[in-house]
Amino acid sequence: QRKDCNYFHQYFLPLEPMGQAIRIRGGGDEPPSNWPNLVGMTGEEAREKIVKVDSTLAGNVHIIPEGSMCTMDFRTDRVRIFIDAEGKVARQPQRG
């Protein structure tokens, strides 16, 4: 193992020849970051399913009409559900 990568050895893989490191994901225990299967259901149904999968998002799953203005900041503790005029999920909800 390279001396300059000892500190990273558990969570990072060295890239050759530049010596940079990339983060590797864990064993699949992370909650999902997007939900493509929710497109077409109502916004409320989608919110319930997201909170059921990841309860840490409770209170931070927002239902927003498609085309509405939103802030552009990226927050992993927030999910926006964009709905169409019929109240159906218009595009896949994702963290951010």
Side-chain angles (χ1 to χ4, degrees), residues 1-9 13-21:
Q1 189 173 32
R2 288 180 22 191
K3 185 177 181 182
D4 61 335
C5 290
N6 281 341
Y7 153 66
F8 293 109
H9 77 280
L13 292 175
L15 289 177
E16 298 296 338
M18 296 183 296
Q20 295 176 340

Side-chain angles (χ1 to χ4, degrees), residues 79-95:
V79 175
R80 290 179 173 150
I81 301 172
F82 291 95
I83 57 170
D84 60 18
E86 297 174 3
K88 305 284 185 180
V89 178
R91 56 180 155 148
Q92 85 176 10
Q94 59 189 20
R95 289 178 188 268

Side-chain angles (χ1 to χ4, degrees), residues 25-38:
R25 297 196 75 176
D29 294 337
E30 298 90 8
S33 61
N34 58 41
W35 294 266
N37 58 320
L38 302 182

Side-chain angles (χ1 to χ4, degrees), residues 31-39 46-47 50 54 57 60-64 66 70-83 89-96:
S33 61
N34 58 41
W35 294 266
N37 58 320
L38 302 182
V39 174
R47 182 192 325 221
I50 290 169
D54 187 353
L57 294 170
N60 280 325
V61 179
H62 306 286
I63 300 173
I64 303 170
E66 184 75 18
C70 299
T71 59
M72 296 299 291
D73 60 324
F74 184 83
R75 293 181 38 196
T76 58
D77 67 335
R78 174 182 62 205
V79 175
R80 290 179 173 150
I81 301 172
F82 291 95
I83 57 170
V89 178
R91 56 180 155 148
Q92 85 176 10
Q94 59 189 20
R95 289 178 188 268

